[in-house]
Tab-separated table of all heavy atoms in Angstrom:
chain	number	residue	atom	x	y	z
P	1	THR	N	26.118	-3.151	-111.373
P	1	THR	CA	26.201	-4.387	-110.618
P	1	THR	C	26.197	-4.034	-109.142
P	1	THR	O	26.403	-2.873	-108.776
P	1	THR	CB	27.466	-5.196	-110.974
P	1	THR	OG1	27.452	-6.450	-110.282
P	1	THR	CG2	28.730	-4.443	-110.582
P	2	ASP	N	25.959	-5.024	-108.292
P	2	ASP	CA	26.001	-4.772	-106.856
P	2	ASP	C	27.010	-5.677	-106.158
P	2	ASP	O	26.980	-5.809	-104.930
P	2	ASP	CB	24.609	-4.946	-106.231
P	2	ASP	CG	24.115	-6.384	-106.292
P	2	ASP	OD1	24.788	-7.225	-106.927
P	2	ASP	OD2	23.054	-6.681	-105.697
P	3	ASN	N	27.907	-6.302	-106.935
P	3	ASN	CA	28.887	-7.210	-106.333
P	3	ASN	C	30.157	-7.224	-107.172
P	3	ASN	O	30.202	-6.666	-108.274
P	3	ASN	CB	28.303	-8.622	-106.214
P	3	ASN	CG	27.967	-9.220	-107.568
P	3	ASN	OD1	28.850	-9.611	-108.331
P	3	ASN	ND2	26.680	-9.297	-107.892
P	4	ILE	N	31.188	-7.874	-106.649
P	4	ILE	CA	32.459	-7.961	-107.378
P	4	ILE	C	32.762	-9.412	-107.744
P	4	ILE	O	33.923	-9.805	-107.860
P	4	ILE	CB	33.627	-7.354	-106.569
P	4	ILE	CG1	33.762	-8.044	-105.200
P	4	ILE	CG2	33.442	-5.853	-106.408
P	4	ILE	CD1	35.027	-7.637	-104.455
P	5	ASN	N	31.716	-10.203	-107.936
P	5	ASN	CA	31.921	-11.577	-108.371
P	5	ASN	C	32.332	-11.609	-109.837
P	5	ASN	O	32.021	-10.706	-110.611
P	5	ASN	CB	30.625	-12.389	-108.187
P	5	ASN	CG	30.216	-12.485	-106.735
P	5	ASN	OD1	31.054	-12.455	-105.845
P	5	ASN	ND2	28.921	-12.591	-106.483
P	6	GLY	N	33.032	-12.673	-110.219
P	6	GLY	CA	33.358	-12.894	-111.621
P	6	GLY	C	34.315	-11.868	-112.197
P	6	GLY	O	35.208	-11.356	-111.506
P	7	PRO	N	34.118	-11.513	-113.480
P	7	PRO	CA	35.050	-10.623	-114.179
P	7	PRO	C	35.185	-9.246	-113.549
P	7	PRO	O	36.247	-8.636	-113.630
P	7	PRO	CB	34.453	-10.523	-115.590
P	7	PRO	CG	33.606	-11.727	-115.740
P	7	PRO	CD	33.067	-12.031	-114.380
P	8	THR	N	34.106	-8.746	-112.925
P	8	THR	CA	34.178	-7.416	-112.309
P	8	THR	C	35.247	-7.373	-111.233
P	8	THR	O	36.074	-6.451	-111.179
P	8	THR	CB	32.816	-7.019	-111.721
P	8	THR	OG1	31.820	-7.046	-112.738
P	8	THR	CG2	32.885	-5.631	-111.109
P	9	GLY	N	35.253	-8.365	-110.356
P	9	GLY	CA	36.272	-8.421	-109.306
P	9	GLY	C	37.664	-8.573	-109.862
P	9	GLY	O	38.625	-7.976	-109.351
P	10	LEU	N	37.778	-9.353	-110.936
P	10	LEU	CA	39.080	-9.546	-111.578
P	10	LEU	C	39.603	-8.229	-112.153
P	10	LEU	O	40.777	-7.873	-111.971
P	10	LEU	CB	38.949	-10.596	-112.679
P	10	LEU	CG	40.216	-10.987	-113.423
P	10	LEU	CD1	41.243	-11.597	-112.492
P	10	LEU	CD2	39.882	-11.961	-114.554
P	11	LEU	N	38.733	-7.480	-112.831
P	11	LEU	CA	39.144	-6.211	-113.419
P	11	LEU	C	39.491	-5.184	-112.341
P	11	LEU	O	40.446	-4.410	-112.493
P	11	LEU	CB	38.038	-5.665	-114.328
P	11	LEU	CG	37.775	-6.456	-115.616
P	11	LEU	CD1	36.563	-5.904	-116.352
P	11	LEU	CD2	38.992	-6.445	-116.529
P	12	ILE	N	38.734	-5.179	-111.245
P	12	ILE	CA	39.042	-4.248	-110.159
P	12	ILE	C	40.382	-4.599	-109.526
P	12	ILE	O	41.233	-3.735	-109.288
P	12	ILE	CB	37.923	-4.254	-109.100
P	12	ILE	CG1	36.657	-3.587	-109.662
P	12	ILE	CG2	38.379	-3.527	-107.832
P	12	ILE	CD1	35.468	-3.650	-108.727
P	13	GLY	N	40.597	-5.897	-109.247
P	13	GLY	CA	41.859	-6.330	-108.646
P	13	GLY	C	43.051	-6.006	-109.517
P	13	GLY	O	44.088	-5.524	-109.029
P	14	ALA	N	42.907	-6.262	-110.821
P	14	ALA	CA	44.002	-5.948	-111.744
P	14	ALA	C	44.168	-4.439	-111.879
P	14	ALA	O	45.298	-3.930	-111.941
P	14	ALA	CB	43.730	-6.584	-113.103
P	15	GLY	N	43.040	-3.718	-111.913
P	15	GLY	CA	43.098	-2.264	-112.069
P	15	GLY	C	43.704	-1.558	-110.880
P	15	GLY	O	44.309	-0.486	-111.018
P	16	LYS	N	43.573	-2.139	-109.696
P	16	LYS	CA	44.190	-1.574	-108.496
P	16	LYS	C	45.673	-1.947	-108.393
P	16	LYS	O	46.368	-1.473	-107.484
P	16	LYS	CB	43.462	-2.066	-107.247
P	16	LYS	CG	42.062	-1.497	-107.063
P	16	LYS	CD	42.083	-0.063	-106.588
P	16	LYS	CE	40.691	0.425	-106.225
P	16	LYS	NZ	40.680	1.838	-105.738
P	17	GLY	N	46.131	-2.813	-109.313
P	17	GLY	CA	47.534	-3.230	-109.275
P	17	GLY	C	47.804	-4.316	-108.264
P	17	GLY	O	48.967	-4.613	-107.968
P	18	VAL	N	46.726	-4.941	-107.723
P	18	VAL	CA	46.894	-5.973	-106.704
P	18	VAL	C	47.092	-7.346	-107.342
P	18	VAL	O	47.940	-8.130	-106.918
P	18	VAL	CB	45.680	-5.985	-105.754
P	18	VAL	CG1	45.787	-7.124	-104.749
P	18	VAL	CG2	45.565	-4.650	-105.021
P	19	ILE	N	46.307	-7.648	-108.370
P	19	ILE	CA	46.433	-8.926	-109.080
P	19	ILE	C	47.385	-8.735	-110.260
P	19	ILE	O	47.102	-7.952	-111.175
P	19	ILE	CB	45.061	-9.423	-109.580
P	19	ILE	CG1	44.118	-9.665	-108.400
P	19	ILE	CG2	45.223	-10.704	-110.396
P	19	ILE	CD1	42.713	-10.072	-108.818
P	20	ARG	N	48.513	-9.475	-110.241
P	20	ARG	CA	49.513	-9.311	-111.287
P	20	ARG	C	49.883	-10.623	-111.965
P	20	ARG	O	50.685	-10.639	-112.892
P	20	ARG	CB	50.772	-8.655	-110.719
P	20	ARG	CG	50.495	-7.327	-110.011
P	20	ARG	CD	51.754	-6.611	-109.615
P	20	ARG	NE	52.510	-6.156	-110.767
P	20	ARG	CZ	52.242	-5.063	-111.466
P	20	ARG	NH1	51.195	-4.322	-111.156
P	20	ARG	NH2	52.993	-4.714	-112.482
P	21	THR	N	49.299	-11.703	-111.502
P	21	THR	CA	49.536	-12.983	-112.153
P	21	THR	C	48.336	-13.891	-111.943
P	21	THR	O	47.673	-13.834	-110.899
P	21	THR	CB	50.812	-13.671	-111.629
P	21	THR	OG1	50.976	-14.941	-112.286
P	21	THR	CG2	50.740	-13.911	-110.127
P	22	MET	N	48.022	-14.697	-112.972
P	22	MET	CA	46.936	-15.670	-112.887
P	22	MET	C	47.374	-16.939	-113.603
P	22	MET	O	48.059	-16.871	-114.636
P	22	MET	CB	45.669	-15.148	-113.586
P	22	MET	CG	44.922	-14.071	-112.871
P	22	MET	SD	43.580	-13.444	-113.926
P	22	MET	CE	42.783	-14.970	-114.428
P	23	TYR	N	46.983	-18.070	-113.037
P	23	TYR	CA	47.193	-19.336	-113.719
P	23	TYR	C	45.964	-19.602	-114.573
P	23	TYR	O	44.883	-19.884	-114.059
P	23	TYR	CB	47.409	-20.457	-112.704
P	23	TYR	CG	47.465	-21.838	-113.311
P	23	TYR	CD1	48.369	-22.129	-114.329
P	23	TYR	CD2	46.626	-22.851	-112.864
P	23	TYR	CE1	48.427	-23.391	-114.885
P	23	TYR	CE2	46.676	-24.124	-113.416
P	23	TYR	CZ	47.578	-24.389	-114.431
P	23	TYR	OH	47.634	-25.644	-114.990
P	24	CYS	N	46.121	-19.473	-115.894
P	24	CYS	CA	44.949	-19.493	-116.762
P	24	CYS	C	45.369	-19.759	-118.202
P	24	CYS	O	46.407	-19.269	-118.660
P	24	CYS	CB	44.241	-18.133	-116.676
P	24	CYS	SG	42.866	-17.932	-117.816
P	25	LYS	N	44.564	-20.516	-118.913
P	25	LYS	CA	44.750	-20.688	-120.347
P	25	LYS	C	44.151	-19.473	-121.045
P	25	LYS	O	42.941	-19.364	-121.199
P	25	LYS	CB	44.080	-21.973	-120.831
P	25	LYS	CG	44.713	-23.248	-120.279
P	25	LYS	CD	43.963	-24.481	-120.778
P	25	LYS	CE	44.583	-25.756	-120.207
P	25	LYS	NZ	43.829	-26.966	-120.636
P	26	GLY	N	45.015	-18.581	-121.475
P	26	GLY	CA	44.559	-17.305	-121.998
P	26	GLY	C	43.719	-17.402	-123.250
P	26	GLY	O	42.894	-16.527	-123.528
P	27	ASN	N	43.892	-18.487	-124.042
P	27	ASN	CA	43.135	-18.609	-125.280
P	27	ASN	C	41.795	-19.311	-125.086
P	27	ASN	O	41.031	-19.478	-126.035
P	27	ASN	CB	43.957	-19.352	-126.334
P	27	ASN	CG	44.339	-20.753	-125.887
P	27	ASN	OD1	44.149	-21.103	-124.726
P	27	ASN	ND2	44.873	-21.544	-126.797
P	28	SER	N	41.490	-19.743	-123.857
P	28	SER	CA	40.182	-20.346	-123.590
P	28	SER	C	39.191	-19.237	-123.243
P	28	SER	O	39.567	-18.091	-123.019
P	28	SER	CB	40.278	-21.363	-122.451
P	28	SER	OG	40.599	-20.724	-121.231
P	29	TYR	N	37.932	-19.593	-123.202
P	29	TYR	CA	36.906	-18.583	-122.942
P	29	TYR	C	35.867	-19.141	-121.973
P	29	TYR	O	35.658	-20.350	-121.875
P	29	TYR	CB	36.221	-18.163	-124.251
P	29	TYR	CG	35.555	-19.305	-124.987
P	29	TYR	CD1	34.245	-19.669	-124.716
P	29	TYR	CD2	36.248	-20.037	-125.954
P	29	TYR	CE1	33.640	-20.727	-125.360
P	29	TYR	CE2	35.656	-21.093	-126.610
P	29	TYR	CZ	34.351	-21.436	-126.320
P	29	TYR	OH	33.754	-22.488	-126.961
P	30	ALA	N	35.256	-18.246	-121.253
P	30	ALA	CA	34.112	-18.599	-120.413
P	30	ALA	C	32.854	-18.073	-121.094
P	30	ALA	O	32.928	-17.280	-122.036
P	30	ALA	CB	34.265	-18.009	-119.028
P	31	ASP	N	31.731	-18.530	-120.635
P	31	ASP	CA	30.458	-18.085	-121.205
P	31	ASP	C	29.815	-17.088	-120.247
P	31	ASP	O	29.500	-17.420	-119.110
P	31	ASP	CB	29.534	-19.288	-121.428
P	31	ASP	CG	28.364	-18.945	-122.337
P	31	ASP	OD1	27.554	-18.077	-121.944
P	31	ASP	OD2	28.270	-19.528	-123.428
P	32	TYR	N	29.657	-15.856	-120.716
P	32	TYR	CA	29.103	-14.782	-119.895
P	32	TYR	C	27.746	-14.352	-120.425
P	32	TYR	O	27.465	-14.438	-121.630
P	32	TYR	CB	30.035	-13.567	-119.896
P	32	TYR	CG	31.381	-13.831	-119.294
P	32	TYR	CD1	32.543	-13.782	-120.067
P	32	TYR	CD2	31.505	-14.145	-117.945
P	32	TYR	CE1	33.784	-14.021	-119.517
P	32	TYR	CE2	32.742	-14.386	-117.387
P	32	TYR	CZ	33.874	-14.326	-118.178
P	32	TYR	OH	35.105	-14.565	-117.617
P	33	LEU	N	26.898	-13.857	-119.527
P	33	LEU	CA	25.573	-13.396	-119.917
P	33	LEU	C	25.218	-12.148	-119.115
P	33	LEU	O	25.087	-12.220	-117.885
P	33	LEU	CB	24.544	-14.499	-119.637
P	33	LEU	CG	23.170	-14.319	-120.267
P	33	LEU	CD1	23.253	-14.449	-121.780
P	33	LEU	CD2	22.194	-15.349	-119.705
P	34	PRO	N	25.091	-10.990	-119.768
P	34	PRO	CA	24.665	-9.790	-119.038
P	34	PRO	C	23.325	-10.032	-118.353
P	34	PRO	O	22.423	-10.668	-118.910
P	34	PRO	CB	24.558	-8.731	-120.144
P	34	PRO	CG	25.525	-9.192	-121.190
P	34	PRO	CD	25.427	-10.694	-121.175
P	35	VAL	N	23.195	-9.524	-117.149
P	35	VAL	CA	22.026	-9.837	-116.332
P	35	VAL	C	20.738	-9.345	-116.976
P	35	VAL	O	19.683	-10.006	-116.874
P	35	VAL	CB	22.193	-9.274	-114.900
P	35	VAL	CG1	22.283	-7.752	-114.903
P	35	VAL	CG2	21.078	-9.762	-113.990
P	36	ASP	N	20.766	-8.196	-117.666
P	36	ASP	CA	19.541	-7.703	-118.304
P	36	ASP	C	19.102	-8.626	-119.437
P	36	ASP	O	17.909	-8.793	-119.685
P	36	ASP	CB	19.705	-6.268	-118.796
P	36	ASP	CG	20.910	-6.064	-119.700
P	36	ASP	OD1	21.947	-6.710	-119.461
P	36	ASP	OD2	20.843	-5.245	-120.642
P	37	VAL	N	20.065	-9.240	-120.127
P	37	VAL	CA	19.727	-10.189	-121.181
P	37	VAL	C	19.033	-11.408	-120.589
P	37	VAL	O	18.034	-11.913	-121.128
P	37	VAL	CB	20.994	-10.605	-121.962
P	37	VAL	CG1	20.692	-11.736	-122.944
P	37	VAL	CG2	21.583	-9.407	-122.706
P	38	PHE	N	19.537	-11.887	-119.447
P	38	PHE	CA	18.905	-13.058	-118.841
P	38	PHE	C	17.517	-12.735	-118.309
P	38	PHE	O	16.590	-13.549	-118.443
P	38	PHE	CB	19.771	-13.622	-117.708
P	38	PHE	CG	19.141	-14.804	-117.037
P	38	PHE	CD1	18.788	-15.923	-117.772
P	38	PHE	CD2	18.862	-14.792	-115.679
P	38	PHE	CE1	18.171	-17.021	-117.169
P	38	PHE	CE2	18.259	-15.881	-115.072
P	38	PHE	CZ	17.915	-16.997	-115.813
P	39	ILE	N	17.335	-11.564	-117.707
P	39	ILE	CA	16.006	-11.184	-117.209
P	39	ILE	C	15.027	-11.095	-118.369
P	39	ILE	O	13.869	-11.539	-118.265
P	39	ILE	CB	16.075	-9.855	-116.434
P	39	ILE	CG1	16.955	-10.005	-115.188
P	39	ILE	CG2	14.682	-9.372	-116.063
P	39	ILE	CD1	16.603	-11.170	-114.287
P	40	ASN	N	15.475	-10.542	-119.493
P	40	ASN	CA	14.631	-10.547	-120.682
P	40	ASN	C	14.276	-11.979	-121.072
P	40	ASN	O	13.143	-12.273	-121.481
P	40	ASN	CB	15.344	-9.858	-121.843
P	40	ASN	CG	15.518	-8.369	-121.627
P	40	ASN	OD1	14.784	-7.757	-120.840
P	40	ASN	ND2	16.485	-7.771	-122.300
P	41	GLY	N	15.266	-12.871	-120.948
P	41	GLY	CA	15.033	-14.270	-121.270
P	41	GLY	C	13.987	-14.907	-120.373
P	41	GLY	O	13.169	-15.715	-120.836
P	42	ILE	N	14.000	-14.575	-119.078
P	42	ILE	CA	12.980	-15.097	-118.162
P	42	ILE	C	11.592	-14.701	-118.646
P	42	ILE	O	10.665	-15.529	-118.713
P	42	ILE	CB	13.217	-14.571	-116.729
P	42	ILE	CG1	14.506	-15.164	-116.137
P	42	ILE	CG2	12.017	-14.898	-115.829
P	42	ILE	CD1	14.853	-14.606	-114.758
């Protein structure tokens, strides 16, 4: 990737120990799509 948008930034923030709390429904889900899959789709 070339950015920290979305889950990547979240994992980096949590992994650095900076993000320690989030207001979130843990049992809900978002819809993600790997960029190579979408390019194939195009």
